Amino acid sequence: MKRREFVVGSTAALALSGASPLVSAQGAFQEGKHFVRLSTAVPVSAPAGKIEVIEFFWYGCPHCNAFEPTLEAWIRKLPADVAFKRMHVGFRPNFEPQQRFYATLEALGLVEQIHRKVFYAIHQQGQKLDKPEALIEFAVQNGADRAKFTEMYNSFGMQSKVRQSKLLSEAYKIDGVPALGIHGRYYTSPSLAGGDNTPELEGQVRALALTDQLIARSRKGV
């Protein structure tokens, strides 16, 4: 998927008055340029006392695929008070099979076992995994129980997850992936944090450094 430009609305220009500056090795991170503060807070589902961080992604996106190794290394070092989760976006109706697939992996505790393998199969092996039958077969080939996976994939609960993903993406105003939503208050991405003409890996590192700082702000309620 070609990297899509994030649309920064007028709310992004609001200053974070009274807050400490967000800085990187390249200088200050700027609101409206490197990250967006939402005008309306998004409800979070993390337990009380936890800071929620959401990665919005699409299995077919090459930038999401490239982001995974850097993101996984960052996840392993997260403090105990951060609750991280992924959300497969549904920009188009034909994204729904993969939305259901990821939600099913999550429900059955198979994310660690299968999630990265999907990216590898699509982007390195050229497999076409965009239909329910192909996705279910892929899960079975990688250790899932066919009956349990199929039942969960087709369940009403997965339909609800698809709706939830759509609503959450809209609430965060996500229009490109990968993107990171921080505790219902902010979002950023490698393309935003890195800016134009920044190498992709550098943009990834900057986005996660910025996310760390926005997590710290969220702890303070700013």
Side-chain angles (χ1 to χ4, degrees):
M1 173 181 175
K2 183 178 179 181
R3 181 179 298 171
R4 300 170 60 180
E5 294 296 325
F6 279 71
V7 178
V8 179
S10 59
T11 59
L14 297 175
L16 295 178
S17 57
S20 59
L22 300 177
V23 297
S24 72
Q26 290 76 22
F29 287 118
Q30 299 175 34
E31 182 180 345
K33 180 179 180 180
H34 300 114
F35 69 98
V36 171
R37 180 173 184 172
L38 302 175
S39 58
T40 302
V42 178
V44 299
S45 59
K50 297 276 190 178
I51 305 299
E52 182 173 86
V53 177
I54 305 170
E55 185 219 6
F56 295 90
F57 77 99
W58 168 41
Y59 276 127
C61 169
H63 301 293
C64 297
N65 175 56
F67 190 34
E68 271 298 305
T70 310
L71 179 65
E72 285 194 349
W74 178 80
I75 292 169
R76 287 193 291 270
K77 298 178 181 179
L78 282 175
D81 69 339
V82 176
F84 175 83
K85 67 179 182 180
R86 293 178 173 90
M87 189 70 67
H88 193 294
V89 296
F91 292 145
R92 302 194 298 265
N94 63 347
F95 283 21
E96 183 173 335
Q98 291 180 343
Q99 284 181 284
R100 282 179 173 263
F101 181 83
Y102 180 76
T104 302
L105 292 183
E106 198 172 52
L108 296 178
L110 295 171
V111 172
E112 186 173 350
Q113 180 177 331
I114 297 177
H115 176 67
R116 279 290 299 276
K117 294 178 181 178
V118 183
F119 278 118
Y120 185 82
I122 292 172
H123 297 281
Q124 275 68 49
Q125 297 180 327
Q127 293 191 43
K128 192 172 178 61
L129 298 176
D130 58 358
K131 297 292 191 295
E133 298 80 8
L135 287 162
I136 292 171
E137 186 60 35
F138 184 84
V140 172
Q141 290 173 359
N142 285 279
D145 179 274
R146 184 182 298 276
K148 289 181 180 178
F149 197 92
T150 302
E151 180 181 6
M152 183 64 71
Y153 183 93
N154 292 316
S155 69
F156 178 77
M158 294 305 103
Q159 184 177 336
S160 297
K161 286 282 190 180
V162 168
R163 287 199 302 269
Q164 179 190 6
S165 171
K166 182 175 185 296
L167 292 172
L168 200 56
S169 297
E170 290 174 351
Y172 268 104
K173 307 185 189 306
I174 301 300
D175 68 352
V177 288
L180 294 156
I182 298 92
H183 207 56
R185 299 171 185 270
Y186 310 101
Y187 75 77
T188 188
S189 71
S191 59
L192 271 179
D196 296 334
N197 303 315
T198 300
E200 187 161 23
L201 179 58
E202 183 180 336
Q204 295 168 8
V205 171
R206 282 173 58 81
L208 293 172
L210 174 52
T211 298
D212 285 335
Q213 295 180 49
L214 293 172
I215 289 170
R217 283 201 168 191
S218 297
R219 289 192 185 102
K220 299 175 182 178
V222 294

